[in-house]
Amino acid sequence: MVPLLLVLLIALVLFGAGFALKFLWLVAAVILVAWLLGFIVRPARVGGRRGRWYRW
């Protein structure tokens, strides 16, 4: 019974890790797209130069 429970536990951990990694890849892709869009839609400063869209 213990080996069966151990295998099921390992399967659950691996399934959870796979789901979490896929979710993190999706989050990273969304952040990358938002970052790239920030360079396109950044506001113009006085004098016509484009400013930074972030504050740091």
Side-chain angles (χ1 to χ4, degrees):
M1 188 68 155
V2 172
L4 179 62
L5 289 175
L6 189 62
V7 168
L8 287 174
L9 182 64
I10 291 172
L12 283 173
V13 167
L14 291 177
F15 175 75
F19 178 76
L21 289 175
K22 184 171 175 94
F23 179 73
L24 289 175
W25 273 108
L26 291 174
V27 170
V30 168
I31 291 172
L32 177 66
V33 168
W35 183 67
L36 290 174
L37 284 176
F39 286 107
I40 296 170
V41 296
R42 59 188 172 176
R45 284 185 178 171
V46 177
R49 290 190 56 199
R50 290 220 180 244
R52 292 183 301 197
W53 64 278
Y54 51 86
R55 295 185 70 89
W56 63 84

